[in-house]
Amino acid sequence: MDGSREDEARDARSELLGLCRFAAPGLARGVPREKAPADFHNGLGGLGRRGVVSLDDMARARARRAPDAREHLAQWAKGFADGYRSARAAAVPQVLDAREAAVPAAARRALAVYPDANALIRFPDRAGTVTDVAGPFTGDPSRRPSRGS
């Protein structure tokens, strides 16, 4: 692993540890049970969008805290992951549409079945800043969005 990846991994571990360190003492100090896990899961979502925590790991963490999931953790986590994936896939064209960038029908269909969930969850954030419709998918922000693509 090169130096920058090592630094990034160390920062991610430190941030994840910080989330845990905040949640546990918060509960001990009287932070409402609904609030501390919400902050933790919000932090996990941010780490997921940066590619640090996988969607499957986020889903398993949420399933462990969901009162209705206790008997069927794996199924609950899969349902959460599927729903999260679908929502993020639907958000990409919405963001690009709001920016008046035409999103081809083929791209919309491809998003619905995109195989890499961990990349997919980062696409809506990227769609807000790219200058080309292909940018969320390729990471190439070199061109302006075209309205007739």
Side-chain angles (χ1 to χ4, degrees):
M1 205 182 319
D2 67 11
S4 65
R5 283 192 169 265
E6 286 176 10
D7 290 344
E8 187 176 314
R10 188 175 20 260
D11 290 346
R13 285 190 302 270
S14 175
E15 191 170 341
L16 187 55
L17 184 58
L19 288 174
C20 293
R21 284 182 178 159
F22 172 77
L27 288 170
R29 291 185 180 139
V31 172
R33 289 186 60 83
E34 311 80 49
K35 180 70 174 141
D39 289 338
F40 178 77
H41 292 303
N42 185 43
L44 277 183
L47 290 172
R49 288 188 298 277
R50 288 184 12 229
V52 174
V53 175
S54 75
L55 178 56
D56 290 336
D57 288 341
M58 285 186 346
R60 281 192 296 275
R62 284 195 172 254
R64 284 187 200 105
R65 293 292 307 156
D68 58 338
R70 299 205 194 282
E71 292 182 32
H72 306 286
L73 287 176
Q75 294 89 338
W76 195 99
K78 182 184 179 327
F80 174 84
D82 289 347
Y84 195 90
R85 184 182 302 112
S86 294
R88 298 299 283 184
V92 174
Q94 290 174 341
V95 170
L96 292 169
D97 286 345
R99 297 183 64 207
E100 298 183 347
V103 181
R108 292 174 191 269
R109 286 190 300 273
L111 280 166
V113 295
Y114 199 81
D116 184 353
N118 295 311
L120 177 65
I121 64 175
R122 293 189 298 274
F123 288 171
D125 295 333
R126 293 171 67 188
T129 59
V130 296
T131 56
D132 185 276
V133 172
F137 317 109
T138 65
D140 178 14
S142 62
R143 300 181 306 205
R144 277 193 75 58
S146 59
R147 294 187 63 143
S149 299

